[in-house]
Protein backbone atom coordinates (compact mmCIF):
# COMPACT_ATOMS: atom_id res chain seq x y z
CA UNK A 1 0.00 0.00 0.00
CA UNK A 2 1.32 3.43 -0.91
CA UNK A 3 1.81 5.74 2.07
CA UNK A 4 -0.32 8.88 2.05
CA UNK A 5 2.43 10.69 3.92
CA UNK A 6 3.48 11.24 7.52
CA UNK A 7 0.55 11.13 9.96
CA UNK A 8 -0.91 14.54 10.69
CA UNK A 9 -1.44 15.44 14.33
CA UNK A 10 -5.17 15.93 13.85
CA UNK A 11 -5.80 13.01 11.48
CA UNK A 12 -3.72 9.86 11.03
CA UNK A 13 -4.26 9.57 7.28
CA UNK A 14 -2.35 6.30 6.89
CA UNK A 15 -4.51 4.74 9.60
CA UNK A 16 -7.62 5.98 7.77
CA UNK A 17 -6.47 4.15 4.62
CA UNK A 18 -5.52 1.01 6.57
CA UNK A 19 -8.85 0.97 8.43
CA UNK A 20 -10.95 1.47 5.30
CA UNK A 21 -8.98 -1.13 3.37
CA UNK A 22 -9.40 -3.66 6.17
CA UNK A 23 -13.13 -3.04 6.53
CA UNK A 24 -14.09 -2.64 2.89
CA UNK A 25 -16.49 -5.29 1.67
CA UNK A 26 -15.30 -7.61 -1.09
CA UNK A 27 -16.66 -6.89 -4.53
CA UNK A 28 -18.72 -9.26 -6.66
CA UNK A 29 -17.19 -12.57 -7.66
CA UNK A 30 -15.56 -12.36 -11.07
CA UNK A 31 -12.87 -14.41 -12.73
CA UNK A 32 -9.53 -12.84 -13.56
CA UNK A 33 -10.36 -12.85 -17.26
CA UNK A 34 -13.76 -11.26 -16.62
CA UNK A 35 -12.16 -8.57 -14.46
CA UNK A 36 -9.69 -7.73 -17.22
CA UNK A 37 -12.53 -7.56 -19.74
CA UNK A 38 -14.55 -5.20 -17.51
CA UNK A 39 -11.58 -2.86 -17.05
CA UNK A 40 -10.84 -2.85 -20.79
CA UNK A 41 -14.47 -2.15 -21.66
CA UNK A 42 -14.75 0.69 -19.15
CA UNK A 43 -11.66 2.29 -20.66
CA UNK A 44 -13.14 1.99 -24.17
CA UNK A 45 -16.46 3.43 -23.03
CA UNK A 46 -14.74 6.29 -21.22
CA UNK A 47 -12.88 7.17 -24.43
CA UNK A 48 -16.02 6.93 -26.55
CA UNK A 49 -17.93 9.05 -24.03
CA UNK A 50 -15.58 11.98 -24.61
CA UNK A 51 -16.83 12.43 -28.17
CA UNK A 52 -20.48 11.82 -27.26
CA UNK A 53 -20.49 14.28 -24.35
CA UNK A 54 -18.49 17.02 -26.00
CA UNK A 55 -20.58 16.84 -29.14
CA UNK A 56 -23.84 17.05 -27.22
CA UNK A 57 -22.78 19.78 -24.78
CA UNK A 58 -20.81 21.83 -27.35
CA UNK A 59 -18.13 22.33 -24.71
CA UNK A 60 -14.62 22.51 -26.13
CA UNK A 61 -12.05 20.89 -23.87
CA UNK A 62 -8.85 22.76 -23.12
CA UNK A 63 -6.19 20.10 -23.74
CA UNK A 64 -3.82 21.85 -21.34
CA UNK A 65 -6.26 21.02 -18.54
CA UNK A 66 -7.09 17.47 -19.62
CA UNK A 67 -7.09 14.78 -16.96
CA UNK A 68 -6.67 10.98 -16.86
CA UNK A 69 -9.34 8.30 -16.57
CA UNK A 70 -8.50 5.59 -14.00
CA UNK A 71 -10.34 2.30 -13.45
CA UNK A 72 -9.89 1.39 -9.78
CA UNK A 73 -11.04 -1.10 -7.16
CA UNK A 74 -12.52 -0.13 -3.78
CA UNK A 75 -9.17 0.25 -1.95
CA UNK A 76 -7.91 2.36 -4.86
CA UNK A 77 -10.94 4.65 -4.49
CA UNK A 78 -10.20 4.95 -0.75
CA UNK A 79 -6.55 5.90 -1.31
CA UNK A 80 -7.49 8.50 -3.91
CA UNK A 81 -10.10 10.10 -1.66
CA UNK A 82 -7.89 10.19 1.41
CA UNK A 83 -5.26 12.01 -0.67
CA UNK A 84 -7.91 14.47 -1.82
CA UNK A 85 -9.25 15.03 1.71
CA UNK A 86 -5.75 15.64 3.00
CA UNK A 87 -5.11 18.24 0.31
CA UNK A 88 -8.32 20.23 0.71
CA UNK A 89 -8.43 20.06 4.54
CA UNK A 90 -4.79 20.99 5.12
CA UNK A 91 -5.44 24.72 5.86
CA UNK A 92 -8.14 23.86 8.41
CA UNK A 93 -6.06 21.16 10.11
CA UNK A 94 -3.04 23.48 10.30
CA UNK A 95 -5.29 26.07 11.93
CA UNK A 96 -6.53 23.52 14.48
CA UNK A 97 -2.94 22.47 15.23
CA UNK A 98 -2.00 26.08 15.97
CA UNK A 99 -5.04 26.51 18.20
CA UNK A 100 -4.24 23.35 20.15
CA UNK A 101 -0.76 24.52 21.09
CA UNK A 102 2.53 22.69 21.38
CA UNK A 103 2.72 21.43 24.98
CA UNK A 104 3.71 17.81 25.63
CA UNK A 105 0.26 16.99 27.02
CA UNK A 106 -1.47 18.40 23.96
CA UNK A 107 0.92 16.48 21.71
CA UNK A 108 -0.01 13.18 23.39
CA UNK A 109 -3.73 13.98 23.22
CA UNK A 110 -3.30 15.03 19.61
CA UNK A 111 -1.62 11.75 18.68
CA UNK A 112 -4.43 9.76 20.29
CA UNK A 113 -7.08 12.00 18.75
CA UNK A 114 -5.45 11.71 15.34
CA UNK A 115 -5.65 7.93 15.50
CA UNK A 116 -9.28 8.02 16.63
CA UNK A 117 -10.15 10.41 13.80
CA UNK A 118 -8.21 8.25 11.34
CA UNK A 119 -10.20 5.17 12.36
CA UNK A 120 -13.51 7.06 12.13
CA UNK A 121 -12.65 8.46 8.70
CA UNK A 122 -11.60 5.00 7.57
CA UNK A 123 -14.93 3.54 8.70
CA UNK A 124 -16.89 6.14 6.73
CA UNK A 125 -14.76 5.63 3.63
CA UNK A 126 -15.22 1.86 3.81
CA UNK A 127 -18.99 2.46 3.84
CA UNK A 128 -18.87 4.81 0.86
CA UNK A 129 -16.33 2.80 -1.16
CA UNK A 130 -18.88 0.14 -2.07
CA UNK A 131 -21.47 2.69 -3.24
CA UNK A 132 -19.65 5.05 -5.60
CA UNK A 133 -19.75 4.06 -9.28
CA UNK A 134 -17.55 6.86 -10.55
CA UNK A 135 -16.18 10.18 -9.42
CA UNK A 136 -14.38 13.15 -10.87
CA UNK A 137 -11.75 14.05 -8.28
CA UNK A 138 -11.21 17.76 -8.58
CA UNK A 139 -8.45 18.39 -6.03
CA UNK A 140 -6.49 15.14 -6.10
CA UNK A 141 -2.69 15.38 -5.94
CA UNK A 142 -0.84 13.08 -8.34
CA UNK A 143 0.86 9.94 -7.02
CA UNK A 144 2.76 7.16 -8.78
CA UNK A 145 -0.22 4.82 -8.47
CA UNK A 146 -2.89 7.47 -9.10
CA UNK A 147 -1.79 10.07 -11.68
CA UNK A 148 -3.71 13.32 -12.04
CA UNK A 149 -3.89 16.21 -14.47
CA UNK A 150 -0.66 18.05 -15.15
CA UNK A 151 -2.08 21.47 -14.33
CA UNK A 152 -3.26 21.25 -10.73
CA UNK A 153 -4.93 17.90 -10.32
CA UNK A 154 -8.09 16.21 -11.42
CA UNK A 155 -8.80 12.65 -12.48
CA UNK A 156 -11.81 10.55 -13.32
CA UNK A 157 -12.23 7.37 -11.27
CA UNK A 158 -14.43 4.47 -12.40
CA UNK A 159 -14.93 1.92 -9.59
CA UNK A 160 -15.15 -1.35 -11.51
CA UNK A 161 -16.45 -3.72 -8.77
CA UNK A 162 -19.26 -1.33 -7.85
CA UNK A 163 -20.35 -0.95 -11.47
CA UNK A 164 -20.47 -4.75 -11.87
CA UNK A 165 -22.36 -5.11 -8.57
CA UNK A 166 -25.06 -2.61 -9.56
CA UNK A 167 -25.52 -3.90 -13.11
CA UNK A 168 -26.10 -7.37 -11.66
CA UNK A 169 -28.40 -6.07 -8.94
CA UNK A 170 -30.52 -4.19 -11.48
CA UNK A 171 -30.37 -7.07 -13.97
CA UNK A 172 -29.62 -4.78 -16.91
CA UNK A 173 -27.43 -5.18 -19.97
CA UNK A 174 -23.88 -4.81 -18.57
CA UNK A 175 -22.39 -3.26 -21.72
CA UNK A 176 -25.13 -0.62 -21.89
CA UNK A 177 -24.91 0.10 -18.17
CA UNK A 178 -21.14 0.61 -18.26
CA UNK A 179 -21.43 3.10 -21.12
CA UNK A 180 -24.31 4.86 -19.34
CA UNK A 181 -22.20 5.33 -16.21
CA UNK A 182 -19.27 6.58 -18.27
CA UNK A 183 -21.46 9.19 -19.96
CA UNK A 184 -22.40 10.68 -16.58
CA UNK A 185 -18.86 10.73 -15.23
CA UNK A 186 -17.35 11.99 -18.49
CA UNK A 187 -19.73 14.95 -18.28
CA UNK A 188 -18.10 15.94 -14.99
CA UNK A 189 -14.66 15.56 -16.52
CA UNK A 190 -15.72 17.72 -19.47
CA UNK A 191 -17.16 20.38 -17.16
CA UNK A 192 -13.81 20.89 -15.45
CA UNK A 193 -11.54 20.49 -18.48
CA UNK A 194 -13.65 22.81 -20.64
CA UNK A 195 -14.11 25.42 -17.89
CA UNK A 196 -10.63 25.83 -16.34
CA UNK A 197 -11.70 28.50 -13.81
CA UNK A 198 -14.27 26.16 -12.26
CA UNK A 199 -11.77 24.21 -10.17
CA UNK A 200 -10.17 27.32 -8.64
CA UNK A 201 -13.60 28.80 -7.98
CA UNK A 202 -14.77 25.68 -6.13
CA UNK A 203 -11.55 25.44 -4.15
CA UNK A 204 -11.88 29.09 -3.13
CA UNK A 205 -15.45 28.54 -1.93
CA UNK A 206 -14.47 25.43 0.04
CA UNK A 207 -11.56 27.23 1.67
CA UNK A 208 -13.87 30.14 2.57
CA UNK A 209 -16.22 27.62 4.18
CA UNK A 210 -13.40 25.99 6.15
CA UNK A 211 -11.92 29.35 7.17
CA UNK A 212 -15.18 30.14 8.98
CA UNK A 213 -15.14 26.85 10.90
CA UNK A 214 -15.21 27.28 14.67
CA UNK A 215 -11.77 25.99 15.61
CA UNK A 216 -12.57 25.40 19.27
CA UNK A 217 -12.22 21.58 19.47
CA UNK A 218 -14.82 21.29 22.25
CA UNK A 219 -17.42 23.14 20.17
CA UNK A 220 -16.76 20.95 17.15
CA UNK A 221 -16.96 17.83 19.33
CA UNK A 222 -20.26 18.97 20.82
CA UNK A 223 -21.75 19.44 17.38
CA UNK A 224 -20.55 16.03 16.27
CA UNK A 225 -22.18 14.53 19.37
CA UNK A 226 -25.40 16.35 18.52
CA UNK A 227 -25.30 14.78 15.07
CA UNK A 228 -24.69 11.34 16.57
CA UNK A 229 -27.61 11.76 18.96
CA UNK A 230 -29.84 12.76 16.05
CA UNK A 231 -28.82 9.55 14.31
CA UNK A 232 -29.17 7.35 17.40
CA UNK A 233 -32.61 8.74 18.21
CA UNK A 234 -34.02 7.18 15.04
CA UNK A 235 -37.70 7.18 14.10
CA UNK A 236 -40.00 4.27 13.42
CA UNK A 237 -40.05 3.45 9.74
CA UNK A 238 -42.69 5.43 7.89
CA UNK A 239 -42.73 8.31 10.38
CA UNK A 240 -42.36 11.79 8.93
CA UNK A 241 -38.90 13.31 8.64
CA UNK A 242 -38.24 15.63 11.58
CA UNK A 243 -36.02 17.93 9.55
CA UNK A 244 -32.90 16.86 11.48
CA UNK A 245 -29.74 18.36 10.12
CA UNK A 246 -26.82 16.50 8.62
CA UNK A 247 -23.34 16.55 10.09
CA UNK A 248 -22.26 19.19 7.56
CA UNK A 249 -25.15 21.47 8.47
CA UNK A 250 -24.40 21.23 12.19
CA UNK A 251 -21.02 22.95 11.87
CA UNK A 252 -22.20 26.07 10.04
CA UNK A 253 -21.79 29.66 11.06
CA UNK A 254 -23.95 32.30 9.31
CA UNK A 255 -21.06 33.04 6.96
CA UNK A 256 -20.71 29.33 6.21
CA UNK A 257 -24.39 29.09 5.37
CA UNK A 258 -23.91 31.72 2.67
CA UNK A 259 -20.95 29.84 1.20
CA UNK A 260 -22.76 26.52 1.45
CA UNK A 261 -25.72 28.02 -0.41
CA UNK A 262 -23.41 28.92 -3.31
CA UNK A 263 -21.71 25.53 -3.21
CA UNK A 264 -25.08 23.76 -3.19
CA UNK A 265 -26.13 25.70 -6.28
CA UNK A 266 -22.91 24.80 -8.13
CA UNK A 267 -23.12 21.13 -7.18
CA UNK A 268 -26.78 21.01 -8.21
CA UNK A 269 -25.80 22.50 -11.56
CA UNK A 270 -22.96 20.01 -12.11
CA UNK A 271 -24.95 16.95 -11.07
CA UNK A 272 -28.09 18.01 -12.90
CA UNK A 273 -26.11 18.80 -16.05
CA UNK A 274 -24.54 15.32 -15.93
CA UNK A 275 -27.96 13.67 -15.62
CA UNK A 276 -29.35 15.83 -18.45
CA UNK A 277 -26.45 14.96 -20.75
CA UNK A 278 -26.67 11.28 -19.87
CA UNK A 279 -30.36 11.27 -20.81
CA UNK A 280 -29.74 13.35 -23.94
CA UNK A 281 -26.93 11.19 -25.31
CA UNK A 282 -28.24 7.89 -23.99
CA UNK A 283 -31.04 7.08 -26.48
CA UNK A 284 -28.65 7.31 -29.44
CA UNK A 285 -25.87 5.12 -28.03
CA UNK A 286 -27.36 3.05 -25.17
CA UNK A 287 -30.16 0.84 -26.55
CA UNK A 288 -31.63 -0.09 -23.14
CA UNK A 289 -31.29 3.38 -21.59
CA UNK A 290 -35.00 3.57 -20.68
CA UNK A 291 -34.88 0.39 -18.63
CA UNK A 292 -31.59 1.35 -16.99
CA UNK A 293 -32.81 4.83 -16.05
CA UNK A 294 -36.06 3.55 -14.53
CA UNK A 295 -34.40 0.82 -12.47
CA UNK A 296 -31.57 3.11 -11.34
CA UNK A 297 -33.96 5.85 -10.23
CA UNK A 298 -35.91 3.30 -8.19
CA UNK A 299 -32.66 2.17 -6.58
CA UNK A 300 -31.65 5.76 -5.80
CA UNK A 301 -34.99 6.55 -4.19
CA UNK A 302 -35.28 3.34 -2.20
CA UNK A 303 -31.84 3.27 -0.63
CA UNK A 304 -30.92 0.16 1.29
CA UNK A 305 -31.06 -0.83 4.94
CA UNK A 306 -32.15 1.40 7.78
CA UNK A 307 -28.50 1.86 8.76
CA UNK A 308 -27.73 2.90 5.21
CA UNK A 309 -30.54 5.47 5.30
CA UNK A 310 -29.35 6.78 8.67
CA UNK A 311 -25.78 7.18 7.45
CA UNK A 312 -26.99 8.89 4.29
CA UNK A 313 -28.87 11.35 6.49
CA UNK A 314 -25.86 11.99 8.73
CA UNK A 315 -23.48 12.50 5.81
CA UNK A 316 -25.89 14.71 3.90
CA UNK A 317 -26.17 12.26 0.99
CA UNK A 318 -29.93 12.77 0.81
CA UNK A 319 -29.17 16.38 -0.12
CA UNK A 320 -27.08 15.05 -3.02
CA UNK A 321 -30.09 13.14 -4.34
CA UNK A 322 -32.11 16.36 -4.30
CA UNK A 323 -29.29 18.07 -6.18
CA UNK A 324 -29.65 15.60 -9.05
CA UNK A 325 -33.38 16.32 -9.34
CA UNK A 326 -33.29 20.10 -8.86
CA UNK A 327 -30.24 20.59 -11.06
CA UNK A 328 -31.61 18.46 -13.88
CA UNK A 329 -34.86 20.43 -13.88
CA UNK A 330 -32.89 23.70 -14.04
CA UNK A 331 -30.75 22.57 -16.97
CA UNK A 332 -33.72 21.15 -18.88
CA UNK A 333 -35.76 24.34 -18.44
CA UNK A 334 -32.92 26.62 -19.58
CA UNK A 335 -32.04 24.46 -22.60
CA UNK A 336 -35.69 24.33 -23.66
CA UNK A 337 -35.95 28.13 -23.43
CA UNK A 338 -32.51 29.22 -24.66
CA UNK A 339 -30.97 26.25 -26.46
CA UNK A 340 -27.66 24.57 -25.57
CA UNK A 341 -25.56 27.60 -26.50
CA UNK A 342 -27.79 29.80 -24.37
CA UNK A 343 -27.43 27.41 -21.45
CA UNK A 344 -23.65 27.33 -21.88
CA UNK A 345 -23.47 30.97 -20.82
CA UNK A 346 -23.58 29.47 -17.34
CA UNK A 347 -19.89 28.59 -17.77
CA UNK A 348 -18.80 32.17 -18.65
CA UNK A 349 -17.64 33.17 -15.16
CA UNK A 350 -18.52 32.68 -11.47
CA UNK A 351 -21.00 35.55 -11.88
CA UNK A 352 -23.08 33.59 -14.39
CA UNK A 353 -23.43 30.51 -12.18
CA UNK A 354 -26.98 30.11 -10.85
CA UNK A 355 -27.71 31.03 -7.26
CA UNK A 356 -29.39 28.55 -4.94
CA UNK A 357 -32.75 30.27 -5.47
CA UNK A 358 -32.28 30.36 -9.26
CA UNK A 359 -31.79 26.59 -9.35
CA UNK A 360 -35.45 26.36 -8.31
CA UNK A 361 -36.47 29.28 -10.55
CA UNK A 362 -34.67 28.95 -13.92
CA UNK A 363 -36.60 31.90 -15.36
CA UNK A 364 -34.85 34.16 -12.84
CA UNK A 365 -31.43 33.00 -14.06
CA UNK A 366 -32.48 33.52 -17.67
CA UNK A 367 -33.70 37.01 -16.87
CA UNK A 368 -30.52 37.94 -15.02
CA UNK A 369 -27.93 36.48 -17.38
CA UNK A 370 -29.55 36.78 -20.80
CA UNK A 371 -31.30 40.09 -20.45
CA UNK A 372 -28.21 41.69 -18.96
CA UNK A 373 -26.09 40.34 -21.83
CA UNK A 374 -28.57 41.39 -24.49
CA UNK A 375 -29.30 44.87 -23.12
Amino acid sequence: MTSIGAPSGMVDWNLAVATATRLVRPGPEVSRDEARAVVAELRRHAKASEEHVRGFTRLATDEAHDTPVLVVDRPGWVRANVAGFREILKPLLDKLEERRGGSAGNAVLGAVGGKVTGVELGMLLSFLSSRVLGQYETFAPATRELPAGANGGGRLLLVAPNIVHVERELDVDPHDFRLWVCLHEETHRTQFTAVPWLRDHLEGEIQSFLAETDVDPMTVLERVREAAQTLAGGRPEGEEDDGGRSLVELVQTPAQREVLGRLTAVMSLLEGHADFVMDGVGPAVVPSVGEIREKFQQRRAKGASRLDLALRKLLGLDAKLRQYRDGERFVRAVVEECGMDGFNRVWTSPNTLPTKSEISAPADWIARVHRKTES
Side-chain angles (χ1 to χ4, degrees):
M1 182 182 71
T2 301
S3 173
I4 299 298
S8 165
M10 299 301 295
V11 182
D12 189 328
W13 298 104
N14 289 335
L15 184 56
V17 172
T19 300
T21 303
R22 186 173 67 253
L23 295 177
V24 70
R25 291 188 289 183
E29 290 188 14
V30 294
S31 67
R32 183 168 296 183
D33 287 344
E34 186 180 2
R36 288 198 189 102
V38 170
V39 170
E41 184 172 26
L42 285 172
R43 286 178 176 151
R44 288 196 304 273
H45 283 334
K47 184 64 178 175
S49 294
E50 291 183 32
E51 183 178 349
H52 295 317
V53 169
R54 295 171 193 184
F56 182 80
T57 62
R58 302 181 192 172
L59 290 174
T61 299
D62 183 346
E63 291 185 5
H65 293 84
D66 209 355
T67 54
V69 177
L70 308 177
V71 181
V72 299
D73 58 10
R74 290 169 179 175
W77 180 88
V78 167
R79 288 193 292 273
N81 275 266
V82 167
F85 283 148
R86 181 170 186 146
E87 183 81 6
I88 201 68
L89 292 176
K90 187 177 185 302
L92 174 63
L93 295 179
D94 288 347
K95 191 175 179 181
L96 286 167
E97 286 279 12
E98 292 174 9
R99 181 71 170 263
R100 192 175 64 193
S103 71
N106 279 339
V108 171
L109 287 173
V112 173
K115 291 189 179 301
V116 170
T117 306
V119 169
E120 290 172 343
L121 178 59
M123 292 171 66
L124 287 176
L125 287 170
S126 71
F127 166 79
L128 293 171
S129 68
S130 63
R131 285 155 175 79
V132 176
L133 302 181
Q135 171 187 359
Y136 186 80
E137 268 205 304
T138 315
F139 308 109
T143 66
R144 184 169 56 84
E145 279 187 343
L146 295 164
N151 290 274
R155 57 189 169 218
L156 177 58
L157 305 179
L158 296 169
V159 191
N162 296 349
I163 293 172
V164 172
H165 171 78
V166 174
E167 71 193 25
R168 290 179 178 179
E169 179 186 302
L170 297 181
D171 190 24
V172 294
D173 182 283
H175 309 293
D176 283 3
F177 184 75
R178 293 165 196 173
L179 177 55
W180 189 73
V181 170
C182 287
L183 288 171
H184 182 100
E185 302 308 334
E186 175 59 35
T187 302
H188 288 315
R189 182 165 171 258
T190 297
Q191 289 162 349
F192 283 91
T193 54
V195 188
W197 58 261
L198 186 57
R199 178 190 181 276
D200 290 340
H201 173 69
L202 269 181
E203 183 175 16
E205 292 282 50
I206 291 170
Q207 292 305 334
S208 295
F209 181 87
L210 295 177
E212 291 293 331
T213 297
D214 188 336
V215 295
D216 175 32
M218 290 307 294
T219 301
V220 174
L221 180 60
E222 191 61 37
R223 290 180 176 177
V224 170
R225 284 174 178 162
E226 184 183 339
Q229 288 164 3
T230 299
L231 184 65
R235 296 184 310 282
E237 292 190 27
E239 190 170 321
E240 288 297 316
D241 189 346
D242 61 1
R245 294 177 294 171
S246 70
L247 183 56
V248 171
E249 292 171 311
L250 287 168
V251 296
Q252 287 181 65
T253 64
Q256 282 179 311
R257 281 193 288 274
E258 290 185 17
V259 177
L260 192 61
R262 295 195 297 269
L263 280 170
T264 298
V266 175
M267 298 312 296
S268 297
L269 171 70
L270 299 180
E271 296 293 357
H273 184 233
D275 266 11
F276 177 80
V277 172
M278 186 167 58
D279 286 348
V281 174
V285 298
V286 182
S288 60
V289 65
E291 177 192 2
I292 291 172
R293 185 70 159 144
E294 182 180 356
K295 289 184 174 181
F296 194 76
Q297 289 288 56
Q298 290 172 355
R299 183 180 185 272
R300 259 186 193 171
K302 184 173 62 176
S305 67
R306 188 171 181 183
L307 174 61
D308 187 44
L309 293 172
L311 283 168
R312 276 169 46 183
K313 179 71 174 178
L314 178 62
L315 297 171
L317 299 182
D318 284 341
K320 184 176 176 67
L321 297 182
R322 290 193 296 274
Q323 287 171 8
Y324 283 107
R325 294 191 296 268
D326 296 346
E328 197 274 341
R329 282 194 293 264
F330 171 85
V331 175
R332 185 172 300 280
V334 174
V335 172
E336 286 177 355
E337 179 70 22
C338 306
M340 186 63 73
D341 291 335
F343 166 77
N344 281 340
R345 289 190 187 178
V346 78
W347 311 117
T348 304
S349 75
N351 292 330
T352 57
L353 292 171
T355 64
K356 188 177 179 182
S357 64
E358 287 172 342
I359 287 288
S360 301
D364 292 349
W365 180 86
I366 294 171
R368 176 172 67 86
V369 173
H370 281 265
R371 289 178 187 170
K372 178 183 288 188
T373 305
E374 293 161 4
S375 60

